[in-house]
Amino acid sequence: MALNFTRRQFVRTGAAASLATWLPQGVFSNTSANKKAVIHADDEIGLVRPEFHSNFAEHLGSCTYGGIWVGKKSPVPNINGFRKATVDYLKELGVPVLRWPGGCFADDYHWREGIGPAEKRPKHVNVNWGKYVEDNSFGTHEFMAFCRLIGAEPYFAGNVGTGTPQEMRDWIEYCNFPAGSTLSDERAANGSPEPFRVKYWGVGNELWGCGGNLRPEQAAGEFRRFATFARLIGGNDVYLVGCGPNGNDLLWTRGFMDTLAGRARMNGYSMHYYEGGSLPPTQFTPEAMYTQFNLFPRVEQSIIQQRALLDSYDPGRNIGLFLDEWGVWDQLREDSKGRLWQQSTMRSAVAAALGLNLFNRQADKLYMCNIAQLINVLQAVLLTDGPEGKNCVRTTSYYAFMLFKAHRSKKAVRAEYDGARLPVAFGGGRGGGRGGQPEPPPDLSMSASRQDAEMVVTFVNPRHDVDMDVDCAVRGVSVKQGRAQILHDPDINAANSFDNPDKVVIQPHQVAAEGDRLRITLPAMSVATVTLQVG
Ligand code: AHR
């Protein structure tokens, strides 16, 4: 049956109510809203570091084993044991930095067990994730080879929880010392005469929790000890990242920084902020989705407040603020696919874009952000484990990241827009609310960046029931031409699966862009990137 109604007639006749029952679950009839925005192309915020689009791979579920690594004898097409499809897709996406081997796993990982002939490597119970037997067949050399295949810079998380300063300092020597020491010669004997030159080293992970349940003063004390010996071997070339708070825990940061007291140089400081979900990934309701989306202004507020507190100790901003782990963490059940296996939906893609937009807006305050995790686990960009021949799917989150790629290495510029939320309106940090008042539904989100004659603008419509017509003024440059791409599905639960891998993919989209204006329509549940040539 053809439905020849305009949207207004549709709503007026009351057909909307009766038709709603025919629509697939998660698809809703829409109203439309006009939104105004202004981009200040000359008002620079800061560099959109490619590192904002970094990722994280842990020995958890099927992220590393099965996702990255299938082994050399696998029937799955592979390059020396690395799943070929993941290599191809990740190369195309570009993963600036990849953090490994955890997560919680890192504080129970002993790097020496993951080098040398694979068949001789010790086996250990993975106490954090599933208590399966870790055979250490994926270790330092395998990780480095994978990073080289996909063009990612490695970021190692050192073991503070069950490790020692010596163990971490030896790992640095093994990886980075050119030649002539017993450890560097061992590396050469294991197939890598050239040093790995690993720059980023985390000093423990979540030391307030799975890394040892430490107090901030203890964690800073450990940093001082570990950093002393890491620097003796790694000199000033290693970039040491201290363990920051869970969410916006300002007391943690104060306790940590007071104890650090300038006694050990810390290059980076990492906070973790997951956006929890109250339902399984493909069964979200609009209400549950909005509750999750409304966490993003709190993430933004946390970045602002944590940065301000760090600045009070470090006015020169020499310490980089990391969002070491972030992403949606929905309700998951353990299933045969392994721990924390999570599907990404249109909702997840919108969530990713809300995060990436806010990183652009706070570009001056951030150094690196690592979404959790790379494959199969939590907000993964790829899913594997499909039947043969369908061994790797690009998730909606993959495509959200793709839509932000053009921002990399440009300067974020200021944008004002209807619906922009002052993060401060949302109270303090994780769990901070509005005094029992219901939060408003999320609204338009946007960010812009510019480099010379190219400007990139990303818009997000997080509403499931409102299409947005955006009328955007452009100040400071003149627009010559523009093109747009969109990721959109009216179904908040739509996902790419092994049977339907291209259900939600990037499409070309209409945009009117000329002179000092840009106009675009954003259908409900969409992420759109506009690339403008400007003069
Ligand atoms: O990403 C999953 C887990 O979440 C990590 O291991 C840990 O750091 C965090 O709590």
Side-chain angles (χ1 to χ4, degrees), residues 103-127:
C104 296
F105 180 79
D107 282 289
D108 194 37
Y109 179 65
H110 302 285
W111 67 270
R112 287 207 64 89
E113 298 184 348
I115 57 168
E119 59 289 356
K120 291 201 177 139
R121 296 183 191 176
K123 296 183 172 58
H124 260 291
V125 177
N126 183 334
V127 289

PDB file of all heavy atoms in Angstrom, residues 103-127:
ATOM      1  N   GLY A 103      43.458  -2.315  30.216  1.00  0.00           N
ATOM      2  CA  GLY A 103      42.449  -3.004  30.960  1.00  0.00           C
ATOM      3  C   GLY A 103      42.947  -3.734  32.224  1.00  0.00           C
ATOM      4  O   GLY A 103      44.114  -3.707  32.591  1.00  0.00           O
ATOM      5  N   CYS A 104      41.953  -4.300  32.863  1.00  0.00           N
ATOM      6  CA  CYS A 104      42.221  -5.051  34.092  1.00  0.00           C
ATOM      7  C   CYS A 104      43.273  -6.126  33.860  1.00  0.00           C
ATOM      8  O   CYS A 104      44.073  -6.439  34.752  1.00  0.00           O
ATOM      9  CB  CYS A 104      40.924  -5.682  34.605  1.00  0.00           C
ATOM     10  SG  CYS A 104      39.676  -4.473  35.088  1.00  0.00           S
ATOM     11  N   PHE A 105      43.275  -6.707  32.658  1.00  0.00           N
ATOM     12  CA  PHE A 105      44.219  -7.786  32.358  1.00  0.00           C
ATOM     13  C   PHE A 105      45.665  -7.322  32.550  1.00  0.00           C
ATOM     14  O   PHE A 105      46.541  -8.101  32.955  1.00  0.00           O
ATOM     15  CB  PHE A 105      44.002  -8.264  30.917  1.00  0.00           C
ATOM     16  CG  PHE A 105      44.919  -9.372  30.495  1.00  0.00           C
ATOM     17  CD1 PHE A 105      44.674 -10.686  30.885  1.00  0.00           C
ATOM     18  CD2 PHE A 105      46.031  -9.109  29.710  1.00  0.00           C
ATOM     19  CE1 PHE A 105      45.528 -11.711  30.508  1.00  0.00           C
ATOM     20  CE2 PHE A 105      46.889 -10.130  29.319  1.00  0.00           C
ATOM     21  CZ  PHE A 105      46.633 -11.433  29.716  1.00  0.00           C
ATOM     22  N   ALA A 106      45.920  -6.038  32.284  1.00  0.00           N
ATOM     23  CA  ALA A 106      47.303  -5.537  32.281  1.00  0.00           C
ATOM     24  C   ALA A 106      47.965  -5.694  33.646  1.00  0.00           C
ATOM     25  O   ALA A 106      49.183  -5.933  33.732  1.00  0.00           O
ATOM     26  CB  ALA A 106      47.329  -4.069  31.854  1.00  0.00           C
ATOM     27  N   ASP A 107      47.191  -5.539  34.721  1.00  0.00           N
ATOM     28  CA  ASP A 107      47.797  -5.610  36.050  1.00  0.00           C
ATOM     29  C   ASP A 107      47.969  -7.039  36.555  1.00  0.00           C
ATOM     30  O   ASP A 107      48.323  -7.250  37.730  1.00  0.00           O
ATOM     31  CB  ASP A 107      46.989  -4.749  37.037  1.00  0.00           C
ATOM     32  CG  ASP A 107      47.316  -3.275  36.851  1.00  0.00           C
ATOM     33  OD1 ASP A 107      48.434  -2.870  37.207  1.00  0.00           O
ATOM     34  OD2 ASP A 107      46.484  -2.551  36.286  1.00  0.00           O
ATOM     35  N   ASP A 108      47.697  -8.008  35.670  1.00  0.00           N
ATOM     36  CA  ASP A 108      47.988  -9.402  36.003  1.00  0.00           C
ATOM     37  C   ASP A 108      48.787 -10.045  34.861  1.00  0.00           C
ATOM     38  O   ASP A 108      48.806 -11.256  34.716  1.00  0.00           O
ATOM     39  CB  ASP A 108      46.659 -10.152  36.243  1.00  0.00           C
ATOM     40  CG  ASP A 108      46.884 -11.511  36.916  1.00  0.00           C
ATOM     41  OD1 ASP A 108      47.781 -11.597  37.780  1.00  0.00           O
ATOM     42  OD2 ASP A 108      46.179 -12.475  36.560  1.00  0.00           O
ATOM     43  N   TYR A 109      49.410  -9.194  34.037  1.00  0.00           N
ATOM     44  CA  TYR A 109      50.122  -9.686  32.849  1.00  0.00           C
ATOM     45  C   TYR A 109      51.630  -9.561  33.052  1.00  0.00           C
ATOM     46  O   TYR A 109      52.128  -8.504  33.444  1.00  0.00           O
ATOM     47  CB  TYR A 109      49.710  -8.869  31.623  1.00  0.00           C
ATOM     48  CG  TYR A 109      50.416  -9.291  30.355  1.00  0.00           C
ATOM     49  CD1 TYR A 109      50.206 -10.549  29.812  1.00  0.00           C
ATOM     50  CD2 TYR A 109      51.303  -8.430  29.700  1.00  0.00           C
ATOM     51  CE1 TYR A 109      50.858 -10.944  28.648  1.00  0.00           C
ATOM     52  CE2 TYR A 109      51.956  -8.815  28.538  1.00  0.00           C
ATOM     53  CZ  TYR A 109      51.736 -10.076  28.023  1.00  0.00           C
ATOM     54  OH  TYR A 109      52.380 -10.469  26.871  1.00  0.00           O
ATOM     55  N   HIS A 110      52.315 -10.637  32.749  1.00  0.00           N
ATOM     56  CA  HIS A 110      53.781 -10.646  32.883  1.00  0.00           C
ATOM     57  C   HIS A 110      54.369 -10.833  31.492  1.00  0.00           C
ATOM     58  O   HIS A 110      54.238 -11.902  30.891  1.00  0.00           O
ATOM     59  CB  HIS A 110      54.212 -11.740  33.858  1.00  0.00           C
ATOM     60  CG  HIS A 110      53.579 -11.530  35.209  1.00  0.00           C
ATOM     61  ND1 HIS A 110      54.012 -10.554  36.087  1.00  0.00           N
ATOM     62  CD2 HIS A 110      52.497 -12.100  35.787  1.00  0.00           C
ATOM     63  CE1 HIS A 110      53.237 -10.551  37.161  1.00  0.00           C
ATOM     64  NE2 HIS A 110      52.317 -11.484  37.008  1.00  0.00           N
ATOM     65  N   TRP A 111      54.957  -9.770  30.999  1.00  0.00           N
ATOM     66  CA  TRP A 111      55.323  -9.716  29.583  1.00  0.00           C
ATOM     67  C   TRP A 111      56.274 -10.830  29.165  1.00  0.00           C
ATOM     68  O   TRP A 111      56.215 -11.293  28.023  1.00  0.00           O
ATOM     69  CB  TRP A 111      55.924  -8.343  29.250  1.00  0.00           C
ATOM     70  CG  TRP A 111      57.251  -8.070  29.897  1.00  0.00           C
ATOM     71  CD1 TRP A 111      57.474  -7.497  31.101  1.00  0.00           C
ATOM     72  CD2 TRP A 111      58.536  -8.376  29.348  1.00  0.00           C
ATOM     73  NE1 TRP A 111      58.813  -7.414  31.359  1.00  0.00           N
ATOM     74  CE2 TRP A 111      59.495  -7.944  30.298  1.00  0.00           C
ATOM     75  CE3 TRP A 111      58.991  -8.953  28.164  1.00  0.00           C
ATOM     76  CZ2 TRP A 111      60.868  -8.086  30.079  1.00  0.00           C
ATOM     77  CZ3 TRP A 111      60.356  -9.101  27.945  1.00  0.00           C
ATOM     78  CH2 TRP A 111      61.274  -8.666  28.902  1.00  0.00           C
ATOM     79  N   ARG A 112      57.123 -11.292  30.100  1.00  0.00           N
ATOM     80  CA  ARG A 112      58.087 -12.323  29.706  1.00  0.00           C
ATOM     81  C   ARG A 112      57.392 -13.616  29.292  1.00  0.00           C
ATOM     82  O   ARG A 112      57.953 -14.425  28.557  1.00  0.00           O
ATOM     83  CB  ARG A 112      59.060 -12.621  30.864  1.00  0.00           C
ATOM     84  CG  ARG A 112      60.085 -11.534  31.118  1.00  0.00           C
ATOM     85  CD  ARG A 112      61.339 -12.128  31.756  1.00  0.00           C
ATOM     86  NE  ARG A 112      62.010 -13.055  30.864  1.00  0.00           N
ATOM     87  CZ  ARG A 112      62.953 -12.718  29.972  1.00  0.00           C
ATOM     88  NH1 ARG A 112      63.379 -11.470  29.906  1.00  0.00           N
ATOM     89  NH2 ARG A 112      63.502 -13.608  29.176  1.00  0.00           N
ATOM     90  N   GLU A 113      56.169 -13.800  29.785  1.00  0.00           N
ATOM     91  CA  GLU A 113      55.447 -15.036  29.436  1.00  0.00           C
ATOM     92  C   GLU A 113      54.946 -15.007  27.993  1.00  0.00           C
ATOM     93  O   GLU A 113      54.501 -16.024  27.463  1.00  0.00           O
ATOM     94  CB  GLU A 113      54.282 -15.234  30.411  1.00  0.00           C
ATOM     95  CG  GLU A 113      54.796 -15.387  31.836  1.00  0.00           C
ATOM     96  CD  GLU A 113      53.719 -15.686  32.847  1.00  0.00           C
ATOM     97  OE1 GLU A 113      52.528 -15.561  32.499  1.00  0.00           O
ATOM     98  OE2 GLU A 113      54.076 -16.042  33.984  1.00  0.00           O
ATOM     99  N   GLY A 114      55.007 -13.836  27.355  1.00  0.00           N
ATOM    100  CA  GLY A 114      54.496 -13.709  25.983  1.00  0.00           C
ATOM    101  C   GLY A 114      55.590 -13.515  24.947  1.00  0.00           C
ATOM    102  O   GLY A 114      55.341 -12.930  23.896  1.00  0.00           O
ATOM    103  N   ILE A 115      56.812 -13.966  25.250  1.00  0.00           N
ATOM    104  CA  ILE A 115      57.883 -13.886  24.234  1.00  0.00           C
ATOM    105  C   ILE A 115      58.505 -15.280  24.062  1.00  0.00           C
ATOM    106  O   ILE A 115      58.294 -16.166  24.891  1.00  0.00           O
ATOM    107  CB  ILE A 115      58.990 -12.867  24.615  1.00  0.00           C
ATOM    108  CG1 ILE A 115      59.590 -13.204  25.977  1.00  0.00           C
ATOM    109  CG2 ILE A 115      58.455 -11.439  24.593  1.00  0.00           C
ATOM    110  CD1 ILE A 115      60.863 -12.431  26.303  1.00  0.00           C
ATOM    111  N   GLY A 116      59.272 -15.434  22.990  1.00  0.00           N
ATOM    112  CA  GLY A 116      59.938 -16.722  22.738  1.00  0.00           C
ATOM    113  C   GLY A 116      58.999 -17.681  22.013  1.00  0.00           C
ATOM    114  O   GLY A 116      57.873 -17.333  21.662  1.00  0.00           O
ATOM    115  N   PRO A 117      59.493 -18.923  21.796  1.00  0.00           N
ATOM    116  CA  PRO A 117      58.695 -19.894  21.028  1.00  0.00           C
ATOM    117  C   PRO A 117      57.307 -20.081  21.660  1.00  0.00           C
ATOM    118  O   PRO A 117      57.197 -20.339  22.862  1.00  0.00           O
ATOM    119  CB  PRO A 117      59.512 -21.187  21.126  1.00  0.00           C
ATOM    120  CG  PRO A 117      60.892 -20.747  21.498  1.00  0.00           C
ATOM    121  CD  PRO A 117      60.766 -19.461  22.254  1.00  0.00           C
ATOM    122  N   ALA A 118      56.279 -19.955  20.857  1.00  0.00           N
ATOM    123  CA  ALA A 118      54.895 -19.949  21.369  1.00  0.00           C
ATOM    124  C   ALA A 118      54.583 -21.209  22.176  1.00  0.00           C
ATOM    125  O   ALA A 118      53.920 -21.138  23.213  1.00  0.00           O
ATOM    126  CB  ALA A 118      53.925 -19.790  20.211  1.00  0.00           C
ATOM    127  N   GLU A 119      55.120 -22.362  21.697  1.00  0.00           N
ATOM    128  CA  GLU A 119      54.761 -23.615  22.371  1.00  0.00           C
ATOM    129  C   GLU A 119      55.386 -23.732  23.759  1.00  0.00           C
ATOM    130  O   GLU A 119      54.962 -24.533  24.583  1.00  0.00           O
ATOM    131  CB  GLU A 119      55.085 -24.828  21.491  1.00  0.00           C
ATOM    132  CG  GLU A 119      56.517 -25.040  21.047  1.00  0.00           C
ATOM    133  CD  GLU A 119      57.047 -24.055  19.997  1.00  0.00           C
ATOM    134  OE1 GLU A 119      56.280 -23.194  19.515  1.00  0.00           O
ATOM    135  OE2 GLU A 119      58.247 -24.146  19.671  1.00  0.00           O
ATOM    136  N   LYS A 120      56.369 -22.890  24.030  1.00  0.00           N
ATOM    137  CA  LYS A 120      57.023 -22.961  25.352  1.00  0.00           C
ATOM    138  C   LYS A 120      56.498 -21.901  26.317  1.00  0.00           C
ATOM    139  O   LYS A 120      56.952 -21.807  27.452  1.00  0.00           O
ATOM    140  CB  LYS A 120      58.528 -22.766  25.183  1.00  0.00           C
ATOM    141  CG  LYS A 120      59.207 -23.901  24.480  1.00  0.00           C
ATOM    142  CD  LYS A 120      60.685 -23.885  24.805  1.00  0.00           C
ATOM    143  CE  LYS A 120      61.371 -25.068  24.165  1.00  0.00           C
ATOM    144  NZ  LYS A 120      62.663 -24.737  23.591  1.00  0.00           N
ATOM    145  N   ARG A 121      55.582 -21.082  25.859  1.00  0.00           N
ATOM    146  CA  ARG A 121      55.132 -19.983  26.726  1.00  0.00           C
ATOM    147  C   ARG A 121      54.234 -20.526  27.848  1.00  0.00           C
ATOM    148  O   ARG A 121      53.385 -21.391  27.603  1.00  0.00           O
ATOM    149  CB  ARG A 121      54.383 -18.933  25.901  1.00  0.00           C
ATOM    150  CG  ARG A 121      55.293 -18.268  24.879  1.00  0.00           C
ATOM    151  CD  ARG A 121      54.586 -17.172  24.107  1.00  0.00           C
ATOM    152  NE  ARG A 121      55.395 -16.752  22.974  1.00  0.00           N
ATOM    153  CZ  ARG A 121      55.024 -15.866  22.061  1.00  0.00           C
ATOM    154  NH1 ARG A 121      53.834 -15.280  22.158  1.00  0.00           N
ATOM    155  NH2 ARG A 121      55.816 -15.552  21.073  1.00  0.00           N
ATOM    156  N   PRO A 122      54.401 -19.987  29.053  1.00  0.00           N
ATOM    157  CA  PRO A 122      53.578 -20.464  30.165  1.00  0.00           C
ATOM    158  C   PRO A 122      52.096 -20.166  29.953  1.00  0.00           C
ATOM    159  O   PRO A 122      51.737 -19.244  29.216  1.00  0.00           O
ATOM    160  CB  PRO A 122      54.098 -19.672  31.365  1.00  0.00           C
ATOM    161  CG  PRO A 122      55.317 -18.979  30.920  1.00  0.00           C
ATOM    162  CD  PRO A 122      55.326 -18.926  29.425  1.00  0.00           C
ATOM    163  N   LYS A 123      51.285 -20.938  30.616  1.00  0.00           N
ATOM    164  CA  LYS A 123      49.830 -20.739  30.537  1.00  0.00           C
ATOM    165  C   LYS A 123      49.345 -20.244  31.892  1.00  0.00           C
ATOM    166  O   LYS A 123      49.793 -20.712  32.929  1.00  0.00           O
ATOM    167  CB  LYS A 123      49.132 -22.055  30.180  1.00  0.00           C
ATOM    168  CG  LYS A 123      49.502 -22.578  28.801  1.00  0.00           C
ATOM    169  CD  LYS A 123      48.718 -23.845  28.490  1.00  0.00           C
ATOM    170  CE  LYS A 123      48.888 -24.317  27.067  1.00  0.00           C
ATOM    171  NZ  LYS A 123      50.266 -24.589  26.650  1.00  0.00           N
ATOM    172  N   HIS A 124      48.433 -19.312  31.850  1.00  0.00           N
ATOM    173  CA  HIS A 124      47.947 -18.693  33.084  1.00  0.00           C
ATOM    174  C   HIS A 124      46.448 -18.507  33.022  1.00  0.00           C
ATOM    175  O   HIS A 124      45.909 -18.247  31.954  1.00  0.00           O
ATOM    176  CB  HIS A 124      48.575 -17.308  33.235  1.00  0.00           C
ATOM    177  CG  HIS A 124      49.725 -17.293  34.167  1.00  0.00           C
ATOM    178  ND1 HIS A 124      49.598 -17.466  35.505  1.00  0.00           N
ATOM    179  CD2 HIS A 124      51.051 -17.122  33.950  1.00  0.00           C
ATOM    180  CE1 HIS A 124      50.781 -17.408  36.072  1.00  0.00           C
ATOM    181  NE2 HIS A 124      51.685 -17.214  35.146  1.00  0.00           N
ATOM    182  N   VAL A 125      45.814 -18.539  34.180  1.00  0.00           N
ATOM    183  CA  VAL A 125      44.368 -18.269  34.207  1.00  0.00           C
ATOM    184  C   VAL A 125      44.161 -16.763  34.081  1.00  0.00           C
ATOM    185  O   VAL A 125      44.816 -15.978  34.767  1.00  0.00           O
ATOM    186  CB  VAL A 125      43.753 -18.781  35.526  1.00  0.00           C
ATOM    187  CG1 VAL A 125      42.275 -18.449  35.591  1.00  0.00           C
ATOM    188  CG2 VAL A 125      43.973 -20.283  35.654  1.00  0.00           C
ATOM    189  N   ASN A 126      43.274 -16.372  33.184  1.00  0.00           N
ATOM    190  CA  ASN A 126      42.902 -14.958  33.063  1.00  0.00           C
ATOM    191  C   ASN A 126      41.882 -14.670  34.169  1.00  0.00           C
ATOM    192  O   ASN A 126      40.698 -14.942  34.025  1.00  0.00           O
ATOM    193  CB  ASN A 126      42.324 -14.680  31.667  1.00  0.00           C
ATOM    194  CG  ASN A 126      41.994 -13.199  31.462  1.00  0.00           C
ATOM    195  OD1 ASN A 126      41.741 -12.459  32.410  1.00  0.00           O
ATOM    196  ND2 ASN A 126      41.992 -12.780  30.204  1.00  0.00           N
ATOM    197  N   VAL A 127      42.373 -14.153  35.283  1.00  0.00           N
ATOM    198  CA  VAL A 127      41.517 -14.050  36.468  1.00  0.00           C
ATOM    199  C   VAL A 127      40.458 -12.964  36.326  1.00  0.00           C
ATOM    200  O   VAL A 127      39.414 -13.014  36.977  1.00  0.00           O
ATOM    201  CB  VAL A 127      42.330 -13.781  37.755  1.00  0.00           C
ATOM    202  CG1 VAL A 127      43.126 -15.002  38.165  1.00  0.00           C
ATOM    203  CG2 VAL A 127      43.239 -12.558  37.600  1.00  0.00           C
TER     204      VAL A 127
END
